[in-house]
Amino acid sequence: MAHAHDLPATDFDSRAAALFRAEAPSLLHLARFYVDDETAAEDLVQEAFIRLSRSVGRIEDTTRSAAYLRSIVINLARDHNRRGLVSLRHRPPDPDHMPSAEELALGRSKRQDVIDALRELPGRQRDCLTLRYYYDMSPPEIADGLGLSVNSVKTHLQRGLRALALALEEHQ
């Protein structure tokens, strides 16, 4: 089986560029669930691609590159927040941030309520809910991507949905 590191640089470069075009927008959206700062989210996505490129020789199934990238983005976002580089609970909103047309069309207020409630959930619940309902991944796919058992994923999904519903109910 040919590995990415066995391919000429141009093959890897063209595949990496195609992967970036296909996945970067949704990865950026995923990162924004975790960090409020758009620039930080862009940096996390860029770092995810850099890390993927460094380990491309160890990836046996290149069709899983998108799943690896999602996992890397989630882990980088957790590390980013844990180190205090961005505090989601204590950071004032960015006054210069103008909502995009997409945010306005989706009803920014309700969408932000859901994102805020997601950010308050324990990490694994947030991860599982985001991957399940944003990426439409099945519990076995989530389990594989996060290194959890399927039953653990189901438990995190159930608990997360209950906690999310309570948080949104309290907000109304």
Side-chain angles (χ1 to χ4, degrees):
M1 165 189 346
H3 288 82
H5 67 282
D6 296 331
L7 298 172
T10 54
D11 289 346
F12 173 75
D13 292 346
S14 63
R15 282 201 338 243
L19 185 62
F20 184 83
R21 283 190 302 276
E23 298 297 329
S26 67
L27 291 170
L28 180 60
H29 196 77
L30 175 64
R32 290 297 301 273
F33 279 117
Y34 292 86
V35 298
D36 214 18
D37 181 345
E38 188 169 356
T39 302
E42 290 169 354
D43 290 345
L44 294 175
V45 171
Q46 181 178 7
E47 179 65 21
F49 276 93
I50 290 168
R51 289 187 183 193
L52 179 71
S53 71
R54 287 182 193 149
S55 62
V56 75
R58 295 185 308 245
I59 299 173
E60 292 184 21
D61 183 0
T62 57
T63 61
R64 294 191 30 104
S65 295
Y68 288 130
L69 283 166
R70 284 189 294 273
S71 180
I72 293 168
V73 166
I74 288 171
N75 288 326
L76 287 171
R78 265 198 226 119
D79 289 346
H80 182 80
N81 290 330
R82 189 179 306 125
R83 287 189 206 126
L85 298 174
V86 174
S87 173
L88 296 175
R89 290 180 175 88
H90 304 294
R91 202 175 125 237
D94 180 4
D96 297 326
H97 176 70
M98 295 297 297
S100 68
E102 176 188 5
E103 287 174 322
L104 290 173
L106 292 173
R108 186 170 183 348
S109 177
K110 288 182 182 182
R111 181 176 175 271
Q112 191 62 46
D113 290 346
V114 172
I115 291 171
D116 291 344
L118 270 171
R119 287 180 177 163
E120 295 297 320
L121 294 176
R124 287 295 183 199
Q125 290 176 14
R126 180 182 54 234
D127 299 345
C128 290
L129 287 174
T130 302
L131 293 174
R132 177 73 177 116
Y133 295 103
Y134 179 71
Y135 281 99
D136 200 28
M137 293 172 67
S138 69
E141 291 170 324
I142 296 167
D144 186 45
L146 296 178
L148 302 171
S149 71
V150 174
N151 286 337
S152 180
V153 168
K154 289 178 181 179
T155 299
H156 289 305
L157 286 170
Q158 290 172 348
R159 290 178 182 168
L161 283 173
R162 275 194 301 261
L164 189 62
L166 283 173
L168 292 172
E169 191 175 290
E170 289 174 4
H171 188 268
Q172 289 183 0

